[in-house]
Amino acid sequence: MGIRNSNICWTRQWARPLTLEKQKIFLCLFIVLFLLIQPAKHGVLGSEIHQHPENFLKEEGTKGIRVLPANWTDTRVQPSNAMTCLSSDDTRENNCVQVIQASFSQTYSKTFNSSLEFRLIYSYSDPHKNFAVSVDSSDADVEHPILFVVRQQKAVTSWELPYVLESSFGYQRRYNTFRRTLCPQPTRRAESVNQIVVDVSTSSRSNVTFSLKMTVDSQLFVRLDEERRMSVTPSQNRIFKFTFPTSVTQVAITSKSPDDVCLTVSVQSPKCPIFDTIYNVEYEGFRQTMTGQSTIIVQKEQYPEGFYLVYIVNTDDEKCVNSRTLAPLRTNRTKEVTFTIQETVSVQQFRNVIFIATLGVYAGFIVLIIATCVLVEFRRKRTKQARREWEATVKIHKSELEPISEVPEFQISETTKTENGHLDLSCHETTSNDADDVFSDTTNPIRPTRQENKLTSKRWRRVSEMTKHQADFYNKKSKRYVSELCIIAVFYLIPAIQLVWNHKDMMVTTGDQDMCYYNFACAYPYHLLIDFADFNHFFSNIGYVVLGTTFVFITKRRDYIHTMMMRKQNAVGEQRGIPPHYGLSYSMGFGLIVEGILSACYHLCPTRMNYQFDTSFMYVLAVLCTLKLYHARHADINVKSHMAYIVLALLVLLGAGTAFTSEFYFKLGFTVVHLIACVALAIDVYYMGHWKLDKETMVEHVNTCWKSRPLYLERLTLVVVGVVCNVAFAVTQLVIDSVDFNTHLLAVFMINLFVYSVFYVIMKMHKREWAFVTHRIYPFLFLLAALAFWLTGSYFFLKKAAKWEKSPAESRMLNQECLVANVYDTHDLWHFLSSTGLFFFFMFLLTLDDDIESKSRRDIPVF
């Protein structure tokens, strides 16, 4: 009973519910028992070690044996020349790694093969030091090159020897030496020791030798106004860093070289990595190609922390020569370069010269013009008043002398008036029966036809014969030039602006400054609403706009005065002076404005494709001036506006075609057409339009020229001189070929305009219109001023600072420094002189015949 009772007590005791503490104890015991009864198995790492022991290294240390992966890199400082091998198999690639604690400025020459890899570790404490690596190998093979990998804190750089570069023509250049400047990486970390690790390996099974040297690059930083000389090769580029001083806001990097090897100059932001090969230099900053000279303007606003300056020799010279010229093959591509970074005009000084000085000069010029016009107007009123008083006095004297006169004035013989071959202008009050026959019907005239008007025409015609219509007819007809010019300008400007703007954006986006032919030695970037890469050349065209607007207002004033005068003349019933053709004058003014806008568009990004924008409206202005001069005394023999613009459009189209083919053939074809048109126009001018191209008329003309004296000797002189000048210029340009086709075309128009202007002035003097150079001298002064400005401007125009006919690198050889206030160069002076010369010439045409405005049209000769 005792035992039973005891068993019952034990059972009851364990049958009680387990407490939480007891449950935890049982759980722990269960886990321990489970782990103890599991069979021994290798983990993942252990399994790998047993299956592939060759992929792991065993390292014995004070704390036991450590198993490491074969590709594990120990970043700890290793003892010098320590070597670690994966196995005893010497044929295994990268089987052994030799770690070298390298020293700067020491050359390491090693021989190795695919079984060995070198790791050179350079330690330094100064984080502001900069380093360059030079490597050399004479027996490295292209199939099994030597690979160099440089690891820095934030960058990895790699290359191979031999260093192979492929040219544009497909052949390869191999270089057994290579030099690279490592990207400076200032660090702020607390460690006092920094490392640069260089890994050298090869896949060659035969032994190859290399030498490696890392030096502290003390030449990296360049100072202001410091001149640097260096040698650059395709495998040894050069990198420099410049930091702006506090007071400097803009610098010019001027590079020069005595040889013609093609080089790329790049300006990049001071960040890593540096794009210092010919294949990746286009990914950062902006760049230029260079042969003998290069200039890059850099503003502090672009790179406030400074910039890197990179020099890279191209693999060939294709980018530095004209696309139509075969690039020379050079075996030696070492280039000697000298460069200097100098301060240019500050941004504030640039603003003062551009906006204050330039606009001030034009404002003073306009004030002077207005003062001159007021003075001229005042003198005109005084002259009119004096003329009225003189006419009243003459009438009084005539009335007193009339009873004494025996022969009336109207009975004077015609032969006494024309014994010199023309009417005596001092006796223009007398008339003849022939004159009455000619001028009797002014409202519905009967002009001689081409059949009736043969070589028997009278020697001198009068303006009244060439102006059979009323003044309103000529005024409305000439004003068609204005409306059609405005329509042409709008449709021409819109695509021109879009095209040039796209070119400029592409240059800014890609950083390729070879796209635009600036004078980089005097091309200053500026931000005014938009970013301009060459603002001074863009703004220098303001003269065309200002002076063109001024001329339009002057023409408007004279048009108003002439309208008032015509109302008085209509009341009297007699037409005086010559038809003014103010529509042509308005067209010249608006044409000058459009020329300024188009020239500014061209200078946004000057290229071969948009050069026509700079010259097309120069053709228009030259033709309008010639028509203005000719229509003055040949009002009825004129060219319709749409026909004139159609001819000009064809010429502009012809000039645009030179961008796609050889200019010589264009010049040759144009010269033939030009000379034929010149002869035909000469005949038409000589006979004033009264001739036709048939066998009978031509035979009669030829016989008359051989058998009799020329009927119009003065006009014959004009056409002969004009033809001789055109033939001489055309032949000279075909032989010398000194200018491009667009300039050639412009020169043809300007030469003919100049010849006809000189002829017009000489004929005015010959016909005793002496007031032109005596009493009313201002037209003559306008002509002299125009010639002076044009001749001076031609010198600067021919002294070009850039030529799009050449390659960008060749064009930069012509770049010139600024001449005026360190802002304007020769081309800017040409803009000022040409716009001012055109304005003065317009004023000359506008006031040329003011001395005969009071004469009857019956007394004004035609020439």
Side-chain angles (χ1 to χ4, degrees):
M1 289 296 294
I3 297 173
R4 182 179 179 186
N5 294 334
S6 62
N7 290 336
I8 294 173
C9 292
W10 182 86
T11 305
R12 291 178 179 177
Q13 182 180 359
W14 283 101
R16 297 174 184 175
L18 295 177
T19 63
L20 181 61
E21 288 79 4
K22 292 180 180 181
Q23 292 178 3
K24 290 182 179 179
I25 294 173
F26 277 110
L27 179 61
C28 292
L29 292 174
F30 177 77
I31 294 174
V32 171
L33 290 174
F34 177 79
L35 293 177
L36 289 176
I37 64 176
Q38 290 296 320
K41 292 184 179 180
H42 296 292
V44 177
L45 181 60
S47 176
E48 290 292 329
I49 293 174
H50 281 276
Q51 296 177 10
H52 304 284
E54 69 277 6
N55 293 338
F56 295 87
L57 299 175
K58 293 183 179 181
E59 185 184 73
E60 296 184 3
T62 58
K63 297 183 179 181
I65 299 177
R66 187 170 57 163
V67 181
L68 301 172
N71 58 356
W72 177 81
T73 301
D74 190 358
T75 59
R76 297 175 302 170
V77 178
Q78 300 289 338
S80 178
N81 298 331
M83 182 180 293
T84 304
C85 295
L86 299 178
S87 66
S88 60
D89 185 6
D90 294 338
T91 62
R92 178 188 177 89
E93 290 191 1
N94 300 330
N95 183 50
C96 298
V97 177
Q98 182 175 356
V99 180
I100 302 175
Q101 292 298 318
S103 301
F104 293 102
S105 302
Q106 180 178 346
T107 302
Y108 293 90
S109 298
K110 300 293 180 179
T111 301
F112 73 130
N113 52 35
S114 60
S115 65
L116 181 61
E117 177 181 343
F118 287 98
R119 177 169 299 161
L120 290 85
I121 301 177
Y122 293 87
S123 302
Y124 63 96
S125 58
D126 187 358
H128 299 287
K129 283 186 177 181
N130 308 290
F131 307 98
V133 181
S134 299
V135 294
D136 180 25
S137 177
S138 59
D139 51 3
D141 187 11
V142 176
E143 297 296 329
H144 302 283
I146 301 176
L147 304 179
F148 297 86
V149 179
V150 180
R151 289 179 291 167
Q152 297 173 266
Q153 179 184 355
K154 297 180 180 179
V156 176
T157 306
S158 64
W159 66 89
E160 60 186 36
L161 280 185
Y163 187 66
V164 180
L165 293 174
E166 186 173 353
S167 69
S168 303
F169 303 104
Y171 61 87
Q172 294 180 341
R173 292 182 181 271
R174 303 177 184 178
Y175 299 92
N176 293 324
T177 60
F178 186 84
R179 181 187 185 278
R180 171 158 291 181
T181 300
L182 301 182
C183 185
Q185 294 185 346
T187 178
R188 297 179 181 178
R189 65 182 184 177
E191 289 84 350
S192 60
V193 177
N194 301 295
Q195 288 185 347
I196 299 177
V197 180
V198 182
D199 290 329
V200 186
S201 61
T202 182
S203 61
S204 175
R205 295 186 179 274
S206 58
N207 289 341
V208 291
T209 304
F210 75 92
S211 61
L212 183 147
K213 182 180 181 181
M214 182 175 293
T215 58
V216 177
D217 191 358
S218 60
Q219 301 295 319
L220 178 69
F221 289 93
V222 60
R223 296 185 298 272
L224 193 68
D225 296 327
E226 179 183 0
E227 184 178 271
R228 290 288 184 91
R229 290 183 174 87
M230 59 185 172
S231 297
V232 192
T233 66
S235 63
Q236 299 182 14
N237 53 41
R238 298 303 299 269
I239 300 173
F240 301 92
K241 185 176 182 180
F242 177 80
T243 304
F244 284 94
T246 305
S247 59
V248 177
T249 59
Q250 189 168 251
V251 295
I253 307 168
T254 304
S255 307
K256 295 183 179 181
S257 176
D259 53 70
D260 294 333
V261 177
C262 189
L263 176 81
T264 297
V265 185
S266 175
V267 173
Q268 303 178 18
S269 59
K271 300 177 181 179
C272 293
I274 302 175
F275 298 92
D276 56 352
T277 67
I278 199 64
Y279 302 113
N280 62 13
V281 68
E282 62 186 22
Y283 297 146
E284 172 62 27
F286 48 90
R287 63 197 180 277
Q288 295 179 3
T289 54
M290 164 190 166
T291 52
Q293 177 179 316
S294 171
T295 302
I296 300 179
I297 304 287
V298 185
Q299 289 185 332
K300 193 173 184 178
E301 296 178 354
Q302 296 173 303
Y303 300 104
E305 298 180 359
F307 56 85
Y308 286 135
L309 181 61
V310 183
Y311 289 90
I312 307 170
V313 175
N314 292 29
T315 55
D316 53 54
D317 296 330
E318 184 183 14
K319 290 186 177 181
C320 291
V321 298
N322 196 305
S323 58
R324 302 175 184 177
T325 305
L326 183 63
L329 297 177
R330 305 176 189 268
T331 56
N332 182 16
R333 298 200 61 79
T334 302
K335 188 173 184 66
E336 301 294 330
V337 181
T338 302
F339 76 93
T340 308
I341 301 179
Q342 297 176 323
E343 182 181 7
T344 62
V345 59
S346 65
V347 177
Q348 185 59 42
Q349 292 173 340
F350 181 77
R351 290 195 191 105
N352 293 339
V353 173
I354 286 290
F355 298 110
I356 299 178
T358 304
L359 296 180
V361 168
Y362 283 112
F365 189 76
I366 294 174
V367 170
L368 179 62
I369 293 172
I370 294 175
T372 304
C373 293
V374 171
L375 179 62
V376 169
E377 188 68 21
F378 177 73
R379 291 193 61 182
R380 287 182 63 183
K381 290 182 179 179
R382 291 189 58 183
T383 304
K384 289 181 181 180
Q385 183 65 26
R387 185 184 296 112
R388 293 193 190 97
E389 295 177 357
W390 179 79
E391 289 177 352
T393 305
V394 170
K395 288 181 180 179
I396 294 174
H397 286 287
K398 280 186 177 182
S399 61
E400 294 176 355
L401 297 175
E402 188 173 1
I404 304 176
S405 178
E406 296 180 359
V407 180
E409 187 177 0
F410 63 87
Q411 295 181 1
I412 297 178
S413 174
E414 177 69 13
T415 58
T416 62
K417 295 188 293 180
T418 60
E419 59 184 1
N420 293 328
H422 55 83
L423 290 174
D424 187 359
L425 298 182
S426 61
C427 304
H428 61 272
E429 294 295 335
T430 61
T431 59
S432 64
N433 294 332
D434 293 339
D436 291 338
D437 294 336
V438 175
F439 303 116
S440 58
D441 188 5
T442 58
T443 58
N444 190 16
I446 301 177
R447 294 188 58 196
T449 63
R450 293 187 177 184
Q451 296 293 341
E452 297 170 351
N453 196 323
K454 300 243 177 169
L455 301 178
T456 58
S457 301
K458 64 180 183 179
R459 181 174 175 81
W460 288 108
R461 293 186 178 275
R462 304 296 167 180
V463 171
S464 57
E465 298 179 66
M466 299 296 172
T467 54
K468 296 299 183 180
H469 299 279
Q470 296 297 322
D472 290 341
F473 173 80
Y474 300 112
N475 194 30
K476 292 179 180 178
K477 192 171 183 179
S478 66
K479 286 186 177 179
R480 292 177 184 172
Y481 281 91
V482 186
S483 57
E484 294 177 6
L485 179 71
C486 293
I487 295 173
I488 294 172
V490 170
F491 283 94
Y492 194 64
L493 280 171
I494 292 175
I497 294 174
Q498 290 175 336
L499 175 64
V500 178
W501 190 264
N502 184 48
H503 283 179
K504 177 254 180 188
D505 276 352
M506 288 181 62
M507 186 203 73
V508 174
T509 303
T510 62
D512 186 6
Q513 294 192 351
D514 286 354
M515 295 184 63
C516 301
Y517 284 76
Y518 297 128
N519 175 19
F520 289 93
C522 186
Y524 294 107
Y526 188 75
H527 179 82
L528 182 67
L529 300 180
I530 59 174
D531 290 326
F532 292 92
D534 185 10
F535 185 76
N536 47 326
H537 288 85
F538 170 84
F539 190 78
S540 63
N541 294 279
I542 191 67
Y544 293 102
V545 179
V546 172
L547 297 180
T549 305
T550 304
F551 183 76
V552 169
F553 281 111
I554 292 175
T555 303
K556 181 65 177 177
R557 171 66 178 169
R558 291 179 66 90
D559 189 10
Y560 174 77
I561 295 174
H562 180 265
T563 302
M564 297 297 101
M565 186 184 300
M566 290 301 298
R567 291 177 182 176
K568 296 180 181 180
Q569 290 184 4
N570 291 335
V572 176
E574 183 178 11
Q575 299 291 333
R576 294 181 178 272
I578 62 174
H581 297 285
Y582 284 116
L584 284 170
S585 299
Y586 283 120
S587 300
M588 292 187 300
F590 284 114
L592 192 60
I593 296 173
V594 177
E595 168 60 26
I597 299 174
L598 282 173
S599 182
C601 290
Y602 165 72
H603 284 91
L604 280 175
C605 183
T607 64
R608 183 186 188 92
M609 304 301 295
N610 57 31
Y611 178 68
Q612 58 170 317
F613 301 152
D614 195 34
T615 57
S616 56
F617 261 74
M618 281 290 188
Y619 309 153
V620 176
L621 293 178
V623 171
L624 290 177
C625 290
T626 306
L627 293 176
K628 169 69 175 175
L629 204 58
Y630 186 76
H631 287 182
R633 307 207 181 205
H634 307 81
D636 286 347
I637 307 175
N638 52 28
V639 180
K640 295 180 180 180
S641 57
H642 65 276
M643 290 302 301
Y645 290 134
I646 288 174
V647 174
L648 287 170
L650 294 176
L651 293 175
V652 172
L653 179 62
L654 187 64
T658 59
F660 304 100
T661 185
S662 175
E663 289 188 358
F664 176 77
Y665 298 104
F666 266 86
K667 282 188 177 182
L668 182 61
F670 174 76
T671 299
V672 175
V673 177
H674 166 219
L675 296 181
I676 295 175
C678 186
V679 173
L681 184 61
I683 296 174
D684 191 74
V685 169
Y686 181 76
Y687 292 109
M688 291 192 294
H690 295 289
W691 72 288
K692 64 179 182 178
L693 191 62
D694 57 17
K695 182 177 181 181
E696 179 184 355
T697 306
M698 295 302 295
V699 170
E700 184 179 359
H701 288 350
V702 172
N703 292 334
T704 305
C705 291
W706 283 106
K707 295 178 182 179
S708 62
R709 182 173 177 268
L711 184 62
Y712 310 112
L713 184 60
E714 292 82 359
R715 226 176 295 154
L716 179 65
T717 304
L718 167 66
V719 297
V720 169
V721 172
V723 171
V724 169
C725 290
N726 281 272
V727 171
F729 177 77
V731 174
T732 302
Q733 283 302 310
L734 282 179
V735 176
I736 300 177
D737 194 21
S738 60
V739 297
D740 57 271
F741 178 77
N742 293 277
T743 306
H744 174 94
L745 191 59
L746 178 60
V748 170
F749 287 121
M750 298 304 294
I751 287 174
N752 286 278
L753 176 60
F754 176 75
V755 170
Y756 190 56
S757 300
V758 172
F759 169 78
Y760 198 97
V761 172
I762 293 175
M763 291 305 297
K764 281 182 70 70
M765 295 180 179
H766 179 64
K767 295 305 175 183
R768 294 183 175 84
E769 296 178 5
W770 294 107
F772 173 65
V773 291
T774 55
H775 183 59
R776 299 191 178 186
I777 195 173
Y778 52 88
F780 189 69
L781 294 179
F782 286 146
L783 179 61
L784 293 180
L787 292 177
F789 278 98
W790 274 348
L791 291 176
T792 308
S794 299
Y795 168 78
F796 293 110
F797 177 75
L798 296 175
K799 195 177 179 180
K800 293 185 176 181
K803 283 188 176 181
W804 48 260
E805 300 95 327
K806 300 178 177 291
S807 68
E810 293 171 339
S811 174
R812 272 187 280 275
M813 291 290 293
L814 304 174
N815 287 177
Q816 304 165 8
E817 295 183 355
C818 301
L819 297 179
V820 180
N822 291 326
V823 172
Y824 292 129
D825 64 356
T826 55
H827 204 71
D828 297 320
L829 293 177
W830 155 249
H831 287 162
F832 170 76
L833 294 171
S834 64
S835 61
T836 309
L838 283 170
F839 175 80
F840 278 127
F841 191 76
F842 291 175
M843 293 299 297
F844 160 73
L845 296 179
L846 194 63
T847 61
L848 177 60
D849 291 314
D850 283 356
D851 56 334
I852 57 175
E853 64 179 357
S854 62
K855 287 186 178 181
S856 174
R857 292 180 182 175
R858 299 185 181 187
D859 303 326
I860 303 175
V862 173
F863 43 79

